[in-house]
Amino acid sequence: MSYYNNNNNGYYPPPPQGGYAAPPPPPQGGYTAPPPPEQQQQPSYGGYYGGGDGSYYPPPPQQQQQQQEQPPPPYNREPKFRDLWAALLFLAQFALFIVIGVLFVKSLPSSAFKHTGQLRYTKNFYSWPTMIMWLCVLLVSIVFSILYLGLMQMFAGQMLVISFWFAVISMIGTGVYYLAAKIWFAGAIMLIFGVLYALMWFSWRHRIPFSKLVLEVVCHITRKFPSTIAISVMFLLIQAVYSAFWSLALAGSFKHMEQYQNCTTHTDRNGRQYQSCSNPKQILSWVFMVFSFYWTTGVILNVLHTTISGTFATFYFFEGSPYGYPTKNPTLSSLKRAMTTSFGSICFGSLVVAIIQTLRAIVRAIRSQNDDNLAAQLMACCADCILGCIEAIVEFFNKYAYVEIAMYGKPFTQAAKDTWTLIKDRGVDALINDCLIGNVLQMGAFLCAAVVALVAWLYITITKPEYNSTGSYTAPIIIASFVLAMSMFMVLLKCIDSGAATTFVCLAEDPDAMARNNPRLFSMVRETYPQVVRGVHEMNGF
């Protein structure tokens, strides 16, 4: 298989026309006799030729010399800006948010961020002591995430087993807590799920060797390209700065939008007067703020995902090749493509998810405003469930579509369609379902969130700020710290999640290349999932 340069530091195999095409069906009439032995050709896996015992070795010296003397032809396709309309729309939205955000932040009290030199006697939540607390949350999250990444690299198999039983213990522990709090239904559900999950160990334990090997491969590539971790830290800081500004803007919106509130005096049947107030402009501003947050956060995370995917794809296709790596810094080249020619495709995919997430936020707000209306609660709950399922499906598609975008620079819709066809035809969906790396990441995210929430609780307990004299801020701070730490952990370990996703897509594109750069993993895939190497699912007869 040849690999090409698109003159824009984009290095990838040439995409087939219309996406992946399955091999042609067998000829009519059933079995066809094989050619004579002298006319048979040994299968080639990425330049490695198969022996009768299933081993792989380099080609003969004459053919090897011919391969080395013939470099791949240049790929002269001019790079194009894909889905440019989505990129322009995102930039316009972001500029509008900055303008509105600055107005909202200016509405905050002028004394909010004056440094008094004391941590305890602080009447305003938006103050320097509070900023120090959030800084501690950020630093502890980064340190814990890096340490956890090191543990994953040193103890891959053990972490897989521990993460499974950690999930079981968490479910059963939560169920016991609910029963102790006399929340009988929720407690019974959690206990049942915990026991069922524990029983699944007998059917899931065969997945551990494969998941362990995939995790070891991904961790090896992150060690070979430490820039993947460095760029994850950089994007984490970008996300933290944006989230901090967004939080300040949201807090200032309450004060700024009061001027647009309209109140009307009414008289009831008993002659008593009352006021009803409405502020549609404030509601619209909140909807826009929520939508902007989801879209911008999605773009930040997906640019990171696409960048890391490009780095892993470069390793997959060029590691061990006689031509070496086509660029000195694959991560930087991948970032350049993600921020230029592929930026519109990333914005397009993130826009779809952001719309669904905004609709879910509106539905949840409706649920909270209609606690006494059973019919409204039921309809909102059903709508939330349906939107949640749609969101999960779209995010699953997007995750692997961005890999195609990183490799080929395709438009978003074409990448999503080709990725799904490719994965289904190759049978890689079985590998995705059997991979347990997500369990390890979820356990790490929960542990990181728990540790950071504890740090936030200790800080607010020791400093005892005056604004929390009644303890009303303790629970919101702990919950916010928990959610923030979990999201930061997932950003920092995006290199693991993106690396596994890229490995599966690249395997679907060209199983032969894995025989060259990772014979152990290729051998396991060939033995456990032969349909991936053959190219298509076997057709079952009736």
Side-chain angles (χ1 to χ4, degrees):
M1 186 173 185
S2 300
Y3 303 92
Y4 300 93
N5 173 13
N6 70 347
N7 295 327
N8 190 32
N9 293 329
Y11 300 91
Y12 34 74
Q17 296 291 335
Y20 170 74
Q28 304 231 352
Y31 174 74
T32 301
E38 60 273 9
Q39 298 182 11
Q40 294 184 11
Q41 183 178 2
Q42 291 284 357
S44 172
Y45 298 94
Y48 283 64
Y49 287 73
D53 58 350
S55 59
Y56 296 90
Y57 47 84
Q62 299 84 358
Q63 296 186 18
Q64 188 174 13
Q65 184 177 3
Q66 292 177 1
Q67 291 180 1
Q68 294 179 355
E69 292 177 353
Q70 297 178 358
Y75 191 38
N76 294 321
R77 186 188 68 181
E78 292 294 331
K80 296 181 180 179
F81 286 86
R82 303 294 184 177
D83 300 310
L84 185 59
W85 66 269
L88 297 176
L89 184 61
F90 171 79
L91 294 176
Q93 168 273 143
F94 187 74
L96 179 60
F97 164 74
I98 294 297
V99 173
I100 295 177
V102 170
L103 293 176
F104 289 167
V105 171
K106 288 183 177 180
S107 300
L108 290 173
S110 58
S111 60
F113 297 104
K114 288 184 178 179
H115 182 54
T116 60
Q118 297 184 12
L119 298 180
R120 182 170 182 175
Y121 301 103
T122 305
K123 296 182 179 181
N124 201 313
F125 177 78
Y126 295 96
S127 57
W128 282 107
T130 307
M131 295 181 66
I132 293 175
M133 180 189 68
W134 294 122
L135 181 61
C136 293
V137 167
L138 177 64
L139 293 178
V140 173
S141 300
I142 293 176
V143 172
F144 185 94
S145 302
I146 293 176
L147 292 176
Y148 194 83
L149 178 61
L151 290 175
M152 290 177 63
Q153 294 184 351
M154 292 186 293
F155 308 103
Q158 294 85 338
M159 295 292 286
L160 288 166
V161 176
I162 293 173
S163 64
F164 179 89
W165 291 108
F166 177 82
V168 173
I169 294 173
S170 299
M171 291 182 187
I172 295 177
T174 304
V176 171
Y177 171 78
Y178 282 149
L179 293 178
K182 298 183 179 180
I183 309 176
W184 308 112
F185 181 76
I189 292 295
M190 293 302 298
L191 284 177
I192 292 173
F193 274 99
V195 173
L196 292 177
Y197 199 81
L199 294 176
M200 293 180 67
W201 166 258
F202 299 100
S203 61
W204 279 19
R205 59 184 177 182
H206 73 279
R207 305 180 183 181
I208 291 181
F210 170 71
S211 301
K212 175 185 176 182
L213 191 53
V214 173
L215 184 57
E216 289 176 347
V217 169
V218 172
C219 291
H220 166 71
I221 299 175
T222 58
R223 289 194 300 268
K224 186 177 182 65
F225 297 100
S227 54
T228 56
I229 301 176
I231 200 169
S232 298
V233 175
M234 183 185 75
F235 272 80
L236 171 62
L237 296 177
I238 294 174
Q239 175 66 29
V241 171
Y242 170 77
S243 299
F245 179 76
W246 185 88
S247 301
L248 293 175
L250 182 64
S253 66
F254 290 88
K255 182 68 175 176
H256 182 83
M257 299 303 292
E258 285 181 356
Q259 57 184 315
Y260 301 107
Q261 181 172 313
N262 296 320
C263 295
T264 306
T265 303
H266 301 276
T267 304
D268 60 12
R269 295 179 180 179
N270 299 323
R272 291 176 299 185
Q273 293 185 342
Y274 66 94
Q275 278 191 336
S276 63
C277 299
S278 62
N279 196 341
K281 292 184 178 180
Q282 185 178 47
I283 295 175
L284 290 176
S285 68
W286 287 347
V287 171
F288 173 76
M289 291 277 290
V290 170
F291 170 74
S292 178
F293 178 81
Y294 283 135
W295 195 8
T296 305
T297 301
V299 169
I300 293 173
L301 295 180
N302 291 325
V303 167
L304 174 62
H305 171 54
T306 306
T307 301
I308 295 175
S309 297
T311 304
F312 274 78
T314 302
F315 173 88
Y316 184 91
F317 291 117
F318 288 95
E319 177 67 17
S321 68
Y323 309 108
Y325 289 104
T327 177
K328 294 182 179 179
N329 195 329
T331 305
L332 186 60
S333 300
S334 182
L335 176 62
K336 177 184 175 182
R337 296 193 300 273
M339 292 298 297
T340 53
T341 55
S342 297
F343 187 69
S345 301
I346 296 173
C347 293
F348 187 6
S350 304
L351 173 63
V352 177
V353 177
I355 292 175
I356 299 173
Q357 292 174 327
T358 304
L359 292 176
R360 291 191 69 188
I362 295 174
V363 169
R364 290 171 181 170
I366 294 175
R367 288 179 60 185
S368 64
Q369 296 294 327
N370 294 273
D371 294 336
D372 300 331
N373 192 330
L374 182 60
Q377 283 282 313
L378 182 60
M379 293 178 62
C381 183
C382 293
D384 188 22
C385 181
I386 294 173
L387 289 172
C389 294
I390 296 175
E391 179 185 351
I393 294 173
V394 172
E395 286 182 339
F396 177 83
F397 274 96
N398 287 4
K399 179 179 179 180
Y400 298 97
Y402 291 133
V403 179
E404 285 279 309
I405 292 172
M407 293 166 54
Y408 298 133
K410 296 179 180 178
F412 172 74
T413 52
Q414 185 68 33
K417 181 178 67 175
D418 291 350
T419 300
W420 179 247
T421 304
L422 183 68
I423 290 178
K424 295 299 291 185
D425 285 347
R426 285 287 190 184
V428 181
D429 52 329
L431 279 74
I432 296 174
N433 293 332
D434 287 351
C435 187
L436 303 177
I437 293 179
N439 289 17
V440 182
L441 296 178
Q442 291 173 5
M443 181 185 71
F446 182 85
L447 291 177
C448 178
V451 170
V452 171
L454 177 61
V455 170
W457 177 80
L458 290 175
Y459 182 91
I460 200 172
T461 302
I462 294 173
T463 58
K464 296 180 180 179
E466 191 173 345
Y467 64 77
N468 193 42
S469 57
T470 61
S472 59
Y473 280 85
T474 301
I477 286 176
I478 291 176
I479 295 174
S481 301
F482 188 92
V483 174
L484 184 62
M486 184 174 288
S487 62
M488 288 192 295
F489 177 91
M490 297 306 296
V491 172
L492 271 176
L493 271 76
K494 195 70 175 176
C495 55
I496 302 296
D497 186 44
S498 301
T502 306
T503 300
F504 294 142
V505 174
C506 291
L507 176 62
E509 287 282 359
D510 184 13
D512 303 344
M514 183 174 286
R516 180 184 68 246
N517 59 50
N518 202 310
R520 282 182 59 205
L521 184 57
F522 177 80
S523 178
M524 179 175 289
V525 170
R526 186 186 54 173
E527 294 174 2
T528 311
Y529 310 95
Q531 72 274 13
V532 176
V533 178
R534 286 198 301 267
V536 292
H537 287 297
E538 292 181 352
M539 301 298 295
N540 297 324
F542 292 96

